[in-house]
Amino acid sequence: LFTGTNGLRTSRLKGYVQKIEAETREFLADWGNEGEVDLFHALSELTILTASRTLHGDDVRTKLFREVSELYHDMDQGLTPLTVFFPNAPTEAHRKRNAARAKMVNLFSKVIQNRRENPDEAHSDGTDILTIFMDIVYKDKTKITDEEVTGLLIALLFAGQHTSCISSTWTSLFIAFDKTFKNRIVAEQRAIFEGDESAPLDFDKINNMQLLHDSMKEALRLCPPLILLIRKAMKDIQVNAGGKTYTVPKDDMVLISPSVGMRLKEVFRDPDTFDPDRFGPGREEHKSSPYAYLGFGGGMHSCMGQNFAFMQVKTILSVLFREYDIEMIADKMPEIDYSAMVVGPKGDCRVRYRKRN
């Protein structure tokens, strides 16, 4: 019996660090010594590269990435606000989405068939999520179908692509915007690598990047990609707030907005200020009340991929800030694009970069 957490356990994450680092270094090799780049677009491309390597495996990443990326684009464009209410409305975007999904099933069916018929070939190292999904067996001993495997892969790609890209972009921009804070990030990296900043990354080094970790948490507090979480009350629930007691009736839907809740001045001091130190010893403002911090949701349905997300983003940004000095071109942070399905930056995300000695 498979549970969705198998591919996200620490033992798996340790092996993903080297893969993501390699993808990041290969991607940055095209940047040259200095230049300008739209960081949002660049990190979007890099995120899907790293996701493909860890989710799909070496054979798909090496031979089929362009095709998978194009199909993903068509499916992504078919997810609109209208889709939430009318998922099968007869629109051109939905038609392309459905066609792309059918092609994706066909593509991965061939990959799965090739892996099963040629087990001795070096398709991947066995740590990718596709390999795990292929071995799923349900409680009634039924084996998973190729279409179900593809559906799970699509779900994971959608769950992580936008959120990780947006999280890495906001974190990078907040760091680059404040030169003093950027110097602290670089100093942490130098301390962890003990002067040898070209040394390979590993899971322990990633876990020791506390300031970078808190920076990502703070970026998610200020700019959460998901601005509305929905829960159903399974029983009457009493809630105490503002000195009053309220009852949420059973079967009512409860809507929570992380973008509002994580900027409450009663919970976070100077809530509109980027201040990663608020999570550190002596302050720990995120522990001031239950579910004060909702960067990855909360409760039994909190994001199961948050450890992967931290590992992925921290690996990418560790390489980025060790390899390049980054500064924003604009004199202000981008606005938050609340019109998007997954909320990201709107405005000038360009940065100027220069290779470090």
Side-chain angles (χ1 to χ4, degrees):
L1 177 65
F2 166 82
T3 59
T5 58
N6 285 1
L8 302 174
R9 291 176 175 171
T10 300
S11 58
R12 296 273 180 178
L13 297 183
K14 288 181 177 179
Y16 295 156
V17 172
Q18 289 76 23
K19 293 184 176 186
I20 294 173
E21 180 184 18
E23 286 287 351
T24 303
R25 290 192 177 281
E26 183 178 346
F27 181 81
L28 293 178
D30 293 333
W31 279 22
N33 289 329
E34 58 183 303
E36 296 179 2
V37 67
D38 184 309
L39 203 57
F40 189 26
H41 292 162
L43 290 176
S44 178
E45 184 178 348
L46 177 55
T47 300
I48 198 169
L49 287 168
T50 60
S52 180
R53 180 71 71 178
T54 53
L55 291 179
H56 304 147
D58 298 335
D59 50 352
V60 177
R61 168 64 185 91
T62 303
K63 302 174 184 177
L64 299 170
F65 173 76
R66 182 175 296 278
E67 189 173 353
V68 170
S69 180
E70 290 173 352
L71 293 174
Y72 170 80
H73 177 268
D74 283 347
M75 288 189 291
D76 186 39
Q77 294 301 303
L79 181 62
T80 67
L82 176 65
T83 310
V84 177
F85 301 100
F86 302 104
N88 294 309
T91 66
E92 180 64 12
H94 286 171
R95 186 195 66 76
K96 288 184 176 180
R97 176 202 66 193
N98 294 342
R101 192 188 190 286
K103 290 179 182 178
M104 189 80 90
V105 171
N106 183 57
L107 184 151
F108 276 105
S109 293
K110 292 179 180 178
V111 172
I112 293 168
Q113 181 180 2
N114 182 50
R115 286 193 182 189
R116 286 177 172 157
E117 291 180 353
N118 302 283
D120 296 329
E121 292 184 8
H123 307 290
S124 76
D125 61 5
T127 64
D128 57 272
I129 305 293
L130 173 56
T131 298
I132 298 172
F133 284 169
M134 286 172 56
D135 295 332
I136 292 176
V137 178
Y138 293 104
K139 289 182 178 178
D140 63 359
K141 309 301 182 184
T142 302
K143 292 185 177 180
I144 192 169
T145 67
D146 294 352
E147 184 171 0
E148 289 171 334
V149 170
T150 305
L152 289 170
L153 287 173
I154 292 171
L156 279 181
L157 195 57
F158 266 84
Q161 164 63 14
H162 286 298
T163 50
S164 287
C165 163
I166 289 169
S167 299
S168 59
T169 300
W170 280 123
T171 305
S172 300
L173 292 178
F174 276 118
I175 292 172
F177 189 69
D178 185 334
K179 185 175 181 180
T180 300
F181 190 80
K182 179 178 64 176
N183 290 339
R184 288 179 60 193
I185 290 290
V186 173
E188 178 183 66
Q189 294 296 311
R190 288 174 175 166
I192 289 171
F193 284 86
E194 299 178 338
D196 186 7
E197 294 175 48
S198 62
L201 267 169
D202 57 46
F203 195 67
D204 290 337
K205 287 189 177 75
I206 292 294
N207 281 341
N208 285 332
M209 298 175 185
Q210 191 60 50
L211 185 59
L212 185 57
H213 185 91
D214 289 344
S215 298
M216 180 177 167
K217 283 184 67 173
E218 179 71 340
L220 284 169
R221 184 189 69 81
L222 288 167
C223 311
L226 303 178
I227 62 172
L228 190 65
L229 306 178
I230 304 174
R231 299 290 186 265
K232 181 178 180 179
M234 305 306 292
K235 62 180 182 180
D236 289 354
I237 301 172
Q238 285 195 339
V239 178
N240 297 316
K244 296 181 179 180
T245 300
Y246 302 88
T247 299
V248 179
K250 178 184 176 182
D251 294 329
D252 267 20
M253 303 303 292
V254 181
L255 281 66
I256 307 100
S257 176
S259 57
V260 174
M262 292 193 292
R263 287 187 183 237
L264 293 175
K265 62 182 180 180
E266 297 86 356
V267 180
F268 294 103
R269 191 174 74 192
D270 298 325
D272 297 329
T273 301
F274 179 74
D275 181 11
D277 294 327
R278 70 174 75 248
F279 301 109
R283 292 179 63 178
E284 297 184 326
E285 295 173 15
H286 59 301
K287 297 181 179 179
S288 60
S289 61
Y291 306 117
Y293 184 79
L294 294 169
F296 290 92
M300 65 183 299
H301 294 295
S302 60
C303 176
M304 62 184 290
Q306 60 182 291
N307 290 332
F308 178 91
F310 274 119
M311 178 276 299
Q312 180 187 31
V313 172
K314 289 166 68 177
T315 298
I316 291 172
L317 299 193
S318 172
V319 176
L320 177 63
F321 282 99
R322 279 184 289 129
E323 290 294 322
Y324 291 98
D325 180 33
I326 307 289
E327 62 179 22
M328 285 185 61
I329 293 177
D331 59 0
K332 64 178 182 179
M333 290 289 292
E335 296 180 0
I336 301 173
D337 185 8
Y338 286 115
S339 66
M341 282 289 289
V342 184
V343 175
K346 178 177 67 174
D348 192 351
C349 295
R350 292 176 303 145
V351 297
R352 186 175 295 109
Y353 62 86
R354 183 185 298 272
K355 188 83 170 178
R356 294 186 185 277
N357 293 330

